[in-house]
Amino acid sequence: MSLHLLHSPWLSHLGASLLHSLWQAAAVWLLLSIMLQALRKASAAARHRLILAALTFTLLLPVGTMVWLGRDLNEAVEVSRPTAGVIASLPSPISDQAPAISPRSESTPIVPRPLPKPEPAPMAWQALVAVIWAAGVALLCLRLAAGWWLMHRLRHDASRCTAPWLPGLLEHTALPAARVLCSARLQVPMVVGWFRPVIYLPAAIFGRMTVAAAETVVLHELAHLRRRDPIINLWITTMETLLFFNPPVRAMARTARDEAECACDDQVLAWGGDRPTYARALADLEAVRPEHLALSLAATGGSGLLQRIQRILGTVPPQSRPFVSQTIGLATLASITGFILVCALAVPPLARAFTPEERIAALAAVEEAQTVDPMLEWTAVGKLVDGDGKVITVDQVFTISGWSERRSFTATEWNAARFTCEGFGKSMVVGLWLEGHAPTSTIVQAPKNADEPTAFSLVVRKGYPAKLKLVDETGAAISGAELHVKSVMLNGEKPYRQGSLQPSASGEATIGNAEADSTFEIEVRAYGHEWSQFEGVRFANGVPTTISVRKIEPLDLPIVDANTGAAVPGARAYCCSWEKANESMSYGSRTFLASMSSQPSGNDGHLKLDLWSPNRNFLALIDAPGYATAIARVVPRRPLEPVRLFPELRLGGVVHDPKKLLSRSGNPPIVRYYLDSNSGNSWNLANFNMAFETEGRLQGTDVHFSIGQLNPGEIEFNCDGREWKTQVTGNKSDLHLYLSKNGLTTAGPDQTPPAPPQERTVRFRLHAPPDQPPAQGNFVVRVRGLEHPLPINNGEATGRFQVGDYIAFLRHGIAGYTRQESLKDVKLTHGEGDVELDIHLIPSGGITGQLASAAASIDYRRTTGTILRLDDEGKRAISLEHDIRLPSGSDKYAVTGLPLHTSYRILFRSGCRLVESPWLKLDESNPLPEAPLTFPKGQTISGKVLEADGTPASQASLTLVYHLREWSYWYTTFACAQDGSFHLEGMNFDVEGSYSIHINNPDGKKVGTIPISSSDRSVVVKRL
C-alpha cells in the first residue's frame, strides 16, 4: 500500500465508517429482536426473511456512512455544474510589489527548479483501522478458500447414491434433478456448493438408521435445495466476512442459520415426515457430528438442536425460547460499547481540521466541475419550434442574435427552419423577435467537445399584438413621435426591434407581438416632449398600454463663427451620447445619431433643442454647412454656452484598390474614417470618438473620395478593416492610398508586410508553502480582458503572450491555493528568451451554497452576488467581487480562491430583494462551508420623488444603497414614474446593515438622500 493511499481521506472515512457500524449494527439487532418477539407466532421462513433483510441493511449502513462522511468531497462536484452552478473570478488588486522577472537566454534550456517537497500529513488513525480491517478480511477469505478446497475434494471420493427409495423421494419433493452422492469420509449428511449444490450422504447412514429415519434426513437436505439456502448461505458468509469484527452481525448470522434449519424442519413435516422418527434421526446424527464448516448445510446445523427437537415434537411453545432475552442483553452491551467507541474515537472529519490533502481534494472537485475554457469557440445548430415542439419554417427574413462571454454575433437567415450560431466560452444566450411572433430567447450550453456542434431548440410562439398609446401629461395623443423598441432577453441584453415606429394620429402603435412575460424597453423621441425611456414595459392581450411623456420648453443653444463671432444659420444638433446616473449610451457611428432639434438654427444663430430630458446630460454634434463639426456638452440644468464653429477643412484623394476589396460585394465602396477627442480645437471632450462614412466614386479599380467639415487634428481611415492615420493641417485633395492584403499605406502596392507582434513565453513557477502539497489545477491569468487557464505541471504553468500585454493574476483555478494579495499586474516587455515569474501561493478555501425564495419565484438568470471580507480588525467590510453570476439560471453558486483565516460574507440580489449569509470564518477545520440562502418575502416600500420646488420629478433616477460596516453597495438603480412615484418590492430588513435611497443628477452626483427602515411604508425623496 502506497504512502499516498495511507494518507487518503477516503481511507480515513472507511475506518470511521467501520467503527460507526458497531453501534449501527447493535441498534439494528435490538430493533430486530423486538420485531422477532412480536412475530414469534409467524413461520420460521418469514422470520428468516426478516433477519436476512436486517443483515443486508446492516451491511449497507457503513457504505452510507462513508458517503455521508465524504459529502464535502462529493457534494462539491454537484455545486453549480454547467446547468447548476459558478466560480466567481475575483479581481486582482494592484499593489506596490511585483513578482521578479528574470529573462533567460534562448539557447539555455530551462530546467524547472524542484519545489520544496512537503512532509506528509500524519496518517489518521481511522485509516489504520481500515488497514487492519482489510488484513482481517484477507485472512478470512484465505480460510474460506481452504474450506472450499476441502469440500471440493469430496467429489473425488464420492459415488452416486443407489438407494431404491431415493428416486421416489426426489419425485415426491419435485426435485428430480437433485444430485445425491455417498461418501465414506462423512459422518453426517450435508449440502455442498453454491450455484450447483450437491447432497452428500455418509455411506454408514444406511447401516445406522432405519429407512424411514434416513428418508427424513434426506428430506431435510432437499428442503435446503427447495429454499435455495446454499446461495443464501453464501450471502450470509460474505456479510460475516466483511463485518467479522462486529458481534451483532455474527449473532444475526447465527440466528439466520437457526431459523433456516427450523424452516427446513417445517418443510420436512409438510412433506409427510413422522415427527418422532425425524427427531430420533437428528439425535442420532448429533452423536457422530464433527465440527462443520460454514460452507456446508448439515441436517444437524444450527446452534440449538435441543430446541429444534422440542419444536418438532411440540413439547415447548415458541415463546419460551430464550432468544429474545439473550439478544436484548447482548444488544445492550454492544450498543454501549459502540457508543463509547463513537464518542471517544470515531470523530467525523467535520469535527477536526482538514489535512491539506483533504482540503485540496475538496476544492479541486469544485474547480474541476466549474472549469470551462473561457476561450472555447464552438458552434450550435438551432431549430425553430412552436409551443408543441413541432419544427416550423418561416417565410421571411429574420435576424438571430447571440451573446456569449465577451462576444456577440448577429446572423440573418432567409426562410430557414434551422440556423447556426457561434458560441464563445461557457454558454450563449440566443434571442429572436420574429415578425408576427413574441420575442423569445434561450440559453445554450457549450458542448463537451468543441469539434461537435451542440443542438438546441428555440421555441417561437405567436403571442398577441402588443399595442400602446402615447399621450402627454394632459392625456392628449402624441403623433409623429419616433419609437425605438427593445425586447429584454434572458441575460438582460436588449436587441432593437427591426426599424423604428411612428404612432398614428390617435397616438396608437403596435410594436409587434408579445406574451404575458415579455418585457420591453421603449424609447420615445417626440419633439416638444421629454426624451423618455421606459423600462420593464409589459402588454396585456387586447388592452393598450398607455405611455405618458411630458411637454418641455426648448433649450436655446447659440451657434457662432469662431473667427468673427457672427451668427451661424442652418446648424443642427445631433445626440452622439447621453448619460444619467450609473448609465450611459454612446452612438459610435454618425449613422445612428438622433436630431435634437426639429428645425435648424435661424439667421440669429439660435438653435432650439426641443428633444432633451432633464434627467440626462448630452454630447451633441453640431453640424453646419461650410463649418467643421463641433461637439457641445448639453447640461439641461445649467446655462448653455455658445458653440464656436471653425471653417471646415477638406481632405480628398484616391484609394487604389486593385483587388477591389471595397467594391467586391457589388455595393458602392465605403471609406470609413474616425474622429476622436484629440481632433481639432473644439473636439476637446475626453473619452469620445465617432465613426463617419463617405460613399466613394468608383473609377476602374480606384475609389475617389472627398471628406469635409474637418477640424485640424488626427483622422483615421479604415478600408476593409485596414487602418491608416494622418494629421489634418489644411485642405488637401491629392491624397493617394494603396489598399492590399498587407494593409493601407501611402507606400504603393509593393509595400512589405508589417512585422508580426513579438511574443514571449512566460513560465510561472508556483511555490506552495513548505508544509503544503504542490499546486495542481489551472493557474488563471487575465490578458486583454480574457481569462487564460494555464494547466499546472510539476508546479509550473506556461503561457505565451505578446510583448506589451499586461498580465493580471486571478484568485481561482489553483485547487486549494490562491495568490498573495501583494501580487500586482505585470507588463511583458521586449527581451530575449523566456520570462520566469516566481509566484508564492497561500492556502485558500471557498464557499458553496444554493439559493431559494420564500416569496414569488426568483429569476436566477438575473441574480448577481457580492462577496465581502472583514479587515484585520474585524470592523470594516471590504468588497472582493461585485458580480458573482449564476449561469444558465442555476440556483447553486460556488466561490473559490479565498485565503484562509479570514471571515467572509456572501450577498445576492434580485431587483430590490437582497439576502446575505452570516460571516463565515474559513480555516483548516472549515475550508469549504456551505451557505444556503433564502430570499424572504420581505415588504413593499412606496414613495414619491419631488423636485426642489415640490413638484413631482418625472423619471428621476434613483439608487437603492445597502450600507454595512463602512461599506456601501449601490446595488440597483431605477427610475420613478411620470408622477414621481415608485415601489420597492421584497425589501429584506432582517439584515445586519441598513438601506437608503439616493436621487441622482445625470452626472451621477447625489442631490437627495433619505434612509429607509422596516417601519416606513411611504417615503418622500426631494431633490436638493
Side-chain angles (χ1 to χ4, degrees), residues 382-386 390-400 411-419 432-438 440 458-462 498:
K383 60 182 178 181
L384 301 180
V385 299
D386 58 18
K390 182 180 178 181
V391 179
I392 60 175
T393 302
V394 294
D395 298 329
Q396 59 180 280
V397 178
F398 60 92
T399 300
I400 291 288
T412 302
E413 303 289 343
W414 288 266
N415 305 334
R418 287 176 169 80
F419 48 88
L432 168 68
W433 192 359
L434 196 62
E435 184 177 348
H437 297 75
T440 182
L458 192 59
V459 181
V460 180
R461 296 182 175 87
K462 289 284 187 180
Q498 297 181 21

Side-chain angles (χ1 to χ4, degrees), residues 13 53 66 71 79 94 364 367 509 572 575 614 649 745 751 788 824 855 880 906 909 948 961 966 979 998:
H13 293 162
M66 186 173 177
R71 69 192 184 281
V79 174
I94 298 178
E367 295 279 1
R572 288 185 177 271
C575 175
L649 297 178
T745 67
Q751 57 186 301
H788 298 263
K824 74 176 230 181
L880 293 182
I906 299 286
R909 70 171 180 89
V961 185
E966 303 180 26
D979 60 356
H998 295 244

Side-chain angles (χ1 to χ4, degrees), residues 763-781:
R763 300 181 182 273
F764 304 94
R765 297 188 179 277
L766 308 175
H767 300 278
D771 58 341
Q772 301 285 327
Q776 58 179 325
N778 294 289
F779 183 61
V780 185
V781 298

Side-chain angles (χ1 to χ4, degrees), residues 82-83 371-380 404-405 422-429 443-456 887-888:
T83 59
T371 299
V372 176
D373 185 1
M375 301 293 292
L376 181 67
E377 296 185 2
W378 48 279
T379 58
S404 299
E405 298 178 16
E422 300 173 0
F424 186 74
K426 303 176 183 178
S427 62
M428 168 176 55
V429 174
I443 297 177
V444 184
Q445 299 293 336
K448 294 182 178 179
N449 185 359
D451 297 331
E452 299 179 1
T454 185
F456 71 97
S888 307

